[in-house]
Each structure stands twice: as structure tokens, then as C-alpha cells.
């Protein structure tokens, strides 16, 4: 998983997104923020209790930042918010699938790939 996280961080940084580890409580999810001069940052809690979901979450946040939208934006109608969340999920799935392809992972089905990397299986039906 470390190589995948490095890959995702490299991808984010090539797209102008800075990734920073922080030492938070196990309940604190990774999140994004706009920093000085509107630079984009992803803050990743090194202690997050769902470490196996970390790559997917970083990919999901990267998707939001690339599309200039916000995670779980309460100002939007549920339909629009759900669509944005699904797009961020698909973005993450695409990044991780690209990593698997480039690194010679061999899966018989997408289900195996998704399961291995913590990608939600509902995306198989999208
Ligand atoms: Zn989101």
C-alpha cells in the first residue's frame, strides 16, 4: 500500500496538490483545504483507523480538488451532491486502476482489483 500512496501523492503533486501527513486521532479522516495563495492541500492522518482505505480516500479527495468541488457539500441538493461524490469515487478508482496496470498487477476481474485496493464495489455497477 505504501507504493500506492507514494504513487497517488506523486500524481497529486504533479497536479499542484500538496500532500501532508499529520498526527491526528484515529477517527480523523483525511481532508483537503485551501492554503495560502489558494494552493490545494490534502492532509492525511497517519493514525486514521481505516488505513486500508487511505489510498482510495486520497484518490477521492484528489478527484474533488481536480474538479474544483467539495466533499459532501451540504449546500447542494442531494442529487447533485451524490453525483459529485460518485464522480470523486470514480476518479479514485481510475487512479488506482492505473497504478495497478502500470505496476503489472494481474487480476482476473475488476472485483478482485477493487477488493484488493479498498475501492467500493458499488462502482462496478456504474
Ligand atoms: Zn467526497
Amino acid at each position: 500500500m505504501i507504493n500506492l500512496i507514494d504513487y497517488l501523492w506523486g500524481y497529486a503533486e504533479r497536479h499542484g496538490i500538496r500532500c501532508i501527513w499529520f498526527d491526528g486521532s484515529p477517527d480523523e479522516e483525511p481532508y483537503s483545504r485551501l492554503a495560502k495563495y489558494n494552493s490545494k492541500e490534502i492532509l492525511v492522518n497517519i493514525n486514521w483507523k481505516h488505513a486500508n482505505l487511505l489510498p482510495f480516500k486520497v484518490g477521492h479527495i484528489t478527484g474533488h480538488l481536480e474538479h474544483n468541488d467539495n466533499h459532501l457539500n451540504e449546500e447542494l441538493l442531494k442529487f447533485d451532491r451524490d453525483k459529485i461524490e460518485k464522480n470523486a469515487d470514480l476518479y479514485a478508482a481510475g487512479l488506482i486502476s492505473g497504478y495497478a496496470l502500470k505496476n503489472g498487477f494481474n487480476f482476473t476481474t475488476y472485483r478482485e482489483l477493487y477488493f484488493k485496493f479498498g475501492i467500493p464495489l458499488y462502482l462496478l455497477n456504474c
Side-chain angles (χ1 to χ4, degrees), residues 50-70:
H50 300 296
N52 58 325
L53 301 178
L54 205 68
F56 183 79
K57 188 72 179 178
V58 168
H60 178 97
I61 295 170
T62 302
H64 279 307
L65 293 172
E66 283 291 281
H67 294 134
N68 291 313
D69 54 37
N70 296 319

Side-chain angles (χ1 to χ4, degrees), residues 54-110:
L54 205 68
F56 183 79
K57 188 72 179 178
V58 168
H60 178 97
I61 295 170
T62 302
H64 279 307
L65 293 172
E66 283 291 281
H67 294 134
N68 291 313
D69 54 37
N70 296 319
H71 179 65
L72 298 176
N73 187 345
E74 293 294 330
E75 294 174 10
L76 299 175
L77 296 173
K78 183 180 182 328
F79 176 83
D80 293 328
R81 187 173 55 242
D82 288 350
K83 187 175 169 187
I84 284 170
E85 291 308 315
K86 189 171 98 181
N87 284 341
D89 282 350
L90 288 168
Y91 197 95
L95 286 177
I96 294 170
S97 299
Y99 167 82
L101 270 175
K102 288 176 186 171
N103 288 281
F105 283 87
N106 212 351
F107 295 102
T108 308
T109 64
Y110 277 106

Side-chain angles (χ1 to χ4, degrees), residues 18-77:
R18 189 166 170 236
C19 299
I20 303 165
W21 288 109
F22 74 96
D23 189 12
S25 83
D27 293 325
E28 219 170 340
E29 285 189 20
Y31 64 98
S32 64
R33 72 176 179 197
L34 288 180
K36 273 187 195 165
Y37 312 113
N38 284 333
S39 66
K40 298 172 180 176
E41 293 179 340
I42 300 175
L43 288 96
V44 184
N45 180 3
I46 200 164
N47 303 315
W48 190 35
K49 63 186 175 187
H50 300 296
N52 58 325
L53 301 178
L54 205 68
F56 183 79
K57 188 72 179 178
V58 168
H60 178 97
I61 295 170
T62 302
H64 279 307
L65 293 172
E66 283 291 281
H67 294 134
N68 291 313
D69 54 37
N70 296 319
H71 179 65
L72 298 176
N73 187 345
E74 293 294 330
E75 294 174 10
L76 299 175
L77 296 173

